[in-house]
Amino acid sequence: MSDQSDHPPSHGSETAQRALTPGARAGFAGHPQGLATLFFAELWERFSYYGMRALLALFIVAPAAAGGLGLSTAEAARIYGNYTMAVYMLSIPGGFIADRYLGAHRAVLIGGAIIACGHFTLAINSLTTFYIGLSLIALGTGLFKPNISALVGALYRQGDDRRDAGFSIFYMGINIGGLIAPLVTGFLAQSAMFKSWLAAWGFDPALSWHWGFGAAGVGMSLGLAVLALRGRHLAEAGRPPAIAATTWGAALLVLVGTIIVMAVTMLSDRPGFEWLRGLFLVVPIAVIAWFAAKGDLDSKRIAAVFVFFIAAMVFWAIFEQAGLTIALFADQLTARTLAGVTFPSAWFQSLNPLFVILLAPIFAWAWLRLGKRQPSSPMKFVFGLFFLGLSFLLMVPAAMLTAEGRVSPLWLIGLFFLQTVGELFLSPVGLSTMTKLAPMRFVGLMLGVWFLGAAWGNKLAGVLGSGFTAGDASELAMFFLQQAAMVGVATLLLLALVPWVKRLMGGVR
């Protein structure tokens, strides 16, 4: 389960640099006591996020008689792409405001409260509350997500050997939350058993979707409760800086700049403005050419950052279709009967975090075993893209088989396995590489670049997903083949560029 922000050492924050003493009292496995607090808070926040995400596209396309919005797949793709884009783009001002004014701890509390309000708003059955709820969740996640990662980094002194292990434990919390969330919310929203219970209790079973959304809100509330009850274990980590390091004008500039980029991105949905999507590729290519031509080490490393930016954007554009086109394929075209009982299609969304939990220790062992012989960062990105492309190539024969009826769930199990392998090559390495390559004075800016790449990737997931069709097996096979081909081209281009990118990196692996 990837958040495109899983392993930040901190958010470049002064707060994180000031908090060097919380590790004095050891907690679980010799780590600071605050790690357990953040582990469970993040687990429940990710429960809320992925629990809602598992239902979102399905709810949008479900007919009104079945309690959904009854919108088209193209409209669902637009909403999904804009929502997930906003989640990551708002992390840029969210991290900046926490660094300069609120402190990471307060930003996480405020963000979590806004997220919970958003989920509970989604639990109300109306179109207005649907859009308000999504907006609140995006806004709250922009405050919560980057800053809880910064809090983990702030628990450890500079050079503390426990730091990487601490982030690995924290990452496991993300995946445990992502594993159990679709099981719970999918049961509440989709299962015939729960619908029959609702009818027996006198509730409309068609509104079961909103019980799933409400459960996501309960999850976020549990995360807030953990922070409130155990916040003392964070000591000084993430407290507000004594003196703001910049003016409110700078914060306003960051916020306005983010809003402008978001507005331009969403404007690309309008007829006649689709050409704006070309900027997602043209702008980073222009930045690469500009900085590579300057020749000094810092400039060349910034050029390398934007090569990774493009590769990551392509990766997330395909990977994040798990919650959109893959969710629709699971619901409409995949057999979902186990021991004679039909299970919710949302349960397939638990496969990715399950495979991460199973495979991450194997990858960690492999990198330790290989040591300096392990692939370079650009080669890891190549492998990540390769396995992602392979996962969509696998769906081509699966799509053709839908002409004969619903296909075996083994096709989706294979897809999520291959995608997870790709994720473990690329995701844990991405942000770490960004921070290593960024000049010291631009670390925060480079983290913003990473979030922007994730945001545009999620937006492109919605753009690409609008072409999904369940009614024609040949068209569906072509849809998956086009996605696989796009990733394949990106893989080959990056493979050809690996020697050049390594030279740009100037010794950073």
Side-chain angles (χ1 to χ4, degrees):
M1 181 66 65
S2 177
D3 291 297
Q4 292 103 339
S5 57
D6 291 332
H7 292 288
S10 78
H11 204 273
S13 68
E14 295 187 5
T15 305
Q17 298 303 315
R18 289 167 56 244
L20 298 176
T21 58
R25 290 188 63 191
F28 173 74
H31 287 272
Q33 286 190 332
L35 182 62
T37 301
L38 298 176
F39 174 94
F40 286 107
E42 176 71 348
L43 185 157
W44 286 113
E45 187 273 334
R46 290 291 88 180
F47 173 95
S48 73
Y49 180 80
Y50 286 108
M52 187 278 287
R53 174 180 173 270
L55 307 179
L56 182 57
L58 301 175
F59 170 70
I60 294 171
V61 301
L69 297 183
L71 300 178
S72 66
T73 298
E75 190 67 9
R78 184 187 65 81
I79 294 170
Y80 180 88
N82 284 334
Y83 161 68
T84 53
M85 176 269 294
V87 162
Y88 289 102
M89 200 168 288
L90 287 172
S91 295
I92 301 172
F96 183 89
I97 290 169
D99 283 350
R100 308 299 182 176
Y101 308 109
L102 293 178
H105 190 183
R106 189 180 296 171
V108 163
L109 287 170
I110 294 172
I114 296 172
I115 292 169
C117 290
H119 286 300
F120 289 129
T121 303
L122 283 178
I124 301 170
N125 180 33
S126 84
L127 187 61
T128 300
T129 54
F130 172 74
Y131 286 112
I132 292 174
L134 287 185
S135 300
L136 288 173
I137 296 168
L139 187 62
T141 306
L143 277 172
F144 188 101
K145 186 59 192 165
N147 294 306
I148 195 166
S149 299
L151 281 175
V152 176
L155 292 174
Y156 299 91
R157 297 179 186 277
Q158 294 295 330
D160 192 327
D161 291 337
R162 303 172 298 170
R163 187 185 186 89
D164 286 349
F167 270 104
S168 296
I169 293 170
F170 178 72
Y171 186 53
M172 198 59 67
I174 291 172
N175 287 285
I176 293 172
L179 172 65
I180 62 177
L183 301 179
V184 174
T185 62
F187 173 78
L188 294 174
Q190 293 184 292
S191 72
M193 181 184 294
F194 187 70
K195 289 176 186 288
S196 68
W197 293 352
L198 288 178
W201 297 336
F203 295 103
D204 183 356
L207 300 182
S208 59
W209 297 103
H210 301 284
W211 290 78
F213 293 141
V218 171
M220 186 65 256
S221 299
L222 288 172
L224 280 175
V226 169
L227 281 171
L229 295 174
R230 295 178 54 88
R232 66 186 184 280
H233 294 303
L234 299 178
E236 290 302 309
R239 302 304 181 195
I243 300 174
T246 188
T247 66
W248 282 103
L252 186 63
L253 185 63
V254 171
L255 185 59
V256 170
T258 302
I259 291 171
I260 290 172
V261 174
M262 284 180 60
V264 170
T265 303
M266 288 190 281
L267 182 63
S268 69
D269 291 328
R270 300 286 297 273
F273 290 93
E274 293 91 347
W275 62 270
L276 288 171
R277 294 168 186 163
L279 296 177
F280 300 174
L281 194 59
V282 171
V283 169
I285 288 176
V287 172
I288 292 168
W290 171 266
F291 281 102
K294 294 185 74 171
D296 62 280
L297 182 59
D298 280 351
S299 295
K300 289 194 292 185
R301 285 179 172 173
I302 291 174
V305 162
F306 278 88
V307 174
F308 290 122
F309 173 97
I310 294 173
M313 183 174 64
V314 172
F315 184 90
W316 301 128
I318 305 302
F319 184 92
E320 282 299 322
Q321 290 190 54
L324 181 59
T325 60
I326 300 305
L328 295 173
F329 187 95
D331 189 62
Q332 300 172 15
L333 300 169
T334 305
R336 294 183 283 109
T337 302
L338 185 65
V341 178
T342 300
F343 60 88
S345 63
W347 284 10
F348 283 105
Q349 298 296 318
S350 290
L351 286 171
N352 171 244
L354 174 63
F355 283 135
V356 169
I357 291 169
L358 294 175
L359 295 176
I362 298 173
F363 271 74
W365 173 83
W367 300 146
L368 284 173
R369 182 81 179 210
L370 289 170
K372 293 185 180 300
R373 292 180 291 115
Q374 65 181 274
S376 64
S377 295
M379 274 307 301
K380 287 180 180 178
F381 268 64
V382 168
F383 283 122
L385 288 169
F386 172 77
F387 280 101
L388 179 68
L390 206 58
S391 73
F392 263 55
L393 194 60
L394 179 70
M395 295 304 292
V396 174
M400 294 300 296
L401 288 172
T402 61
E404 303 171 9
R406 288 179 177 262
V407 301
S408 167
L410 291 175
W411 291 102
L412 287 183
I413 292 172
L415 169 119
F416 280 111
F417 176 81
L418 291 169
Q419 286 197 348
T420 304
V421 173
E423 174 190 349
L424 289 171
F425 269 110
L426 184 143
S427 181
V429 128
L431 193 53
S432 173
T433 303
M434 288 276 185
T435 56
K436 289 176 185 176
L437 290 172
M440 286 298 296
R441 63 189 184 280
F442 293 138
V443 172
L445 179 61
M446 291 301 103
L447 293 178
V449 165
W450 179 259
F451 283 122
L452 178 61
W456 279 353
N458 277 266
K459 174 59 182 173
L460 286 174
V463 172
L464 296 171
S466 65
F468 177 87
T469 175
D472 187 309
S474 296
E475 282 189 30
L476 184 59
M478 183 57 64
F479 169 82
F480 285 122
L481 184 60
Q482 287 171 346
Q483 315 301 310
M486 185 180 81
V487 181
V489 170
T491 304
L492 292 174
L493 284 174
L494 182 58
L495 179 62
L497 291 174
V498 164
W500 181 63
V501 174
K502 289 169 72 173
R503 289 196 297 273
L504 290 176
M505 294 170 70
V508 173
R509 283 189 59 84

